[in-house]
Amino acid sequence: MSSHFFVHWLTTAGALSVTAWMLAGVSVDSLFSLGLAALVLGFVNAIIRPLLLLLTLPFTLLTLGLFYFIVNGVAFGLAAVLVPGFGVTSFFSAILGAFTVGLVSWCIGIFVGTQNETNRSVVVDVHRRQDGRWEL
């Protein structure tokens, strides 16, 4: 469990680093700020963003899911407010930054991919016996 958390944290930090490099509206001052921002962003995404999604569900349905980008931008901006040395210049930069971090994290996850129970495929061979019962 701790190795999965560490890999996820490193993936988020790497994605945040790439985002700060790509977008002028997102800045990270130091390596410490980068690590702390990745940690806080993970916390905000795990705790606060689901509450925001629940509260804004009618708007999300009304806009056919486009409001989801706004919620992600709010969560990204909140993480920037909470971490000194991690900054976002505008709300549009927060939305674009959240999208870029998600995209880069997804790309990194394809190549890093931790092996756990959900990623493993299992084949179960089942046969029907002559008396009608099933056996493995």
Side-chain angles (χ1 to χ4, degrees), residues 4 109 112-122:
H4 179 68
V112 172
T114 58
Q115 189 72 355
N116 58 19
E117 293 298 319
T118 60
N119 291 344
R120 202 174 68 191
S121 297
V122 177

Short mmCIF file of all heavy atoms in Angstrom, two decimals, residues 4 109 112-122:
data_model
loop_
_atom_site.label_atom_id
_atom_site.label_comp_id
_atom_site.label_asym_id
_atom_site.label_seq_id
_atom_site.Cartn_x
_atom_site.Cartn_y
_atom_site.Cartn_z
N HIS A 4 2.42 1.90 -3.42
CA HIS A 4 1.43 2.42 -4.36
C HIS A 4 1.22 3.92 -4.13
O HIS A 4 1.14 4.69 -5.07
CB HIS A 4 0.12 1.66 -4.24
CG HIS A 4 -0.95 2.16 -5.16
ND1 HIS A 4 -0.87 2.00 -6.52
CD2 HIS A 4 -2.10 2.82 -4.92
CE1 HIS A 4 -1.93 2.55 -7.08
NE2 HIS A 4 -2.69 3.05 -6.13
N GLY A 109 1.08 7.06 -16.02
CA GLY A 109 0.50 5.84 -15.48
C GLY A 109 0.48 4.69 -16.47
O GLY A 109 0.56 3.52 -16.08
N VAL A 112 4.23 3.53 -16.22
CA VAL A 112 4.67 3.09 -14.90
C VAL A 112 3.82 1.93 -14.42
O VAL A 112 4.34 0.91 -13.98
CB VAL A 112 4.64 4.26 -13.89
CG1 VAL A 112 4.90 3.77 -12.48
CG2 VAL A 112 5.63 5.32 -14.29
N GLY A 113 2.51 2.07 -14.49
CA GLY A 113 1.53 1.04 -14.14
C GLY A 113 1.92 0.11 -13.02
O GLY A 113 2.64 -0.84 -13.25
N THR A 114 1.44 0.34 -11.81
CA THR A 114 1.71 -0.56 -10.70
C THR A 114 0.83 -1.78 -10.83
O THR A 114 -0.32 -1.71 -11.24
CB THR A 114 1.44 0.13 -9.35
OG1 THR A 114 0.08 0.56 -9.32
CG2 THR A 114 2.38 1.29 -9.14
N GLN A 115 1.37 -2.93 -10.48
CA GLN A 115 0.64 -4.18 -10.57
C GLN A 115 -0.14 -4.39 -9.28
O GLN A 115 0.42 -4.51 -8.21
CB GLN A 115 1.62 -5.34 -10.79
CG GLN A 115 0.96 -6.64 -11.11
CD GLN A 115 0.37 -6.66 -12.52
OE1 GLN A 115 0.36 -5.68 -13.23
NE2 GLN A 115 -0.14 -7.79 -12.91
N ASN A 116 -1.45 -4.39 -9.37
CA ASN A 116 -2.28 -4.68 -8.21
C ASN A 116 -3.42 -5.60 -8.64
O ASN A 116 -3.48 -6.05 -9.76
CB ASN A 116 -2.80 -3.40 -7.54
CG ASN A 116 -3.60 -2.54 -8.50
OD1 ASN A 116 -4.08 -3.00 -9.53
ND2 ASN A 116 -3.74 -1.28 -8.15
N GLU A 117 -4.35 -5.85 -7.74
CA GLU A 117 -5.41 -6.82 -8.01
C GLU A 117 -6.33 -6.37 -9.14
O GLU A 117 -6.90 -7.20 -9.83
CB GLU A 117 -6.23 -7.04 -6.73
CG GLU A 117 -5.45 -7.74 -5.63
CD GLU A 117 -5.00 -9.14 -6.03
OE1 GLU A 117 -5.78 -9.86 -6.67
OE2 GLU A 117 -3.86 -9.50 -5.72
N THR A 118 -6.51 -5.08 -9.34
CA THR A 118 -7.44 -4.62 -10.37
C THR A 118 -6.84 -4.70 -11.77
O THR A 118 -7.58 -4.72 -12.74
CB THR A 118 -7.91 -3.19 -10.09
OG1 THR A 118 -6.77 -2.32 -10.07
CG2 THR A 118 -8.64 -3.10 -8.78
N ASN A 119 -5.52 -4.75 -11.89
CA ASN A 119 -4.87 -4.79 -13.19
C ASN A 119 -4.65 -6.21 -13.69
O ASN A 119 -4.25 -6.40 -14.82
CB ASN A 119 -3.52 -4.07 -13.15
CG ASN A 119 -3.67 -2.59 -12.97
OD1 ASN A 119 -4.74 -2.04 -13.17
ND2 ASN A 119 -2.59 -1.94 -12.59
N ARG A 120 -4.87 -7.19 -12.86
CA ARG A 120 -4.53 -8.56 -13.20
C ARG A 120 -5.73 -9.27 -13.81
O ARG A 120 -6.84 -9.19 -13.32
CB ARG A 120 -4.09 -9.29 -11.94
CG ARG A 120 -3.26 -10.49 -12.20
CD ARG A 120 -2.74 -11.07 -10.94
NE ARG A 120 -3.90 -11.62 -10.21
CZ ARG A 120 -3.87 -12.02 -8.97
NH1 ARG A 120 -2.78 -11.92 -8.28
NH2 ARG A 120 -4.93 -12.52 -8.38
N SER A 121 -5.50 -10.01 -14.88
CA SER A 121 -6.56 -10.80 -15.51
C SER A 121 -6.46 -12.24 -15.03
O SER A 121 -5.37 -12.79 -14.90
CB SER A 121 -6.43 -10.78 -17.03
OG SER A 121 -6.58 -9.48 -17.52
N VAL A 122 -7.61 -12.85 -14.79
CA VAL A 122 -7.65 -14.22 -14.32
C VAL A 122 -8.61 -14.99 -15.22
O VAL A 122 -9.70 -14.52 -15.53
CB VAL A 122 -8.15 -14.29 -12.85
CG1 VAL A 122 -8.26 -15.74 -12.39
CG2 VAL A 122 -7.22 -13.52 -11.95
#
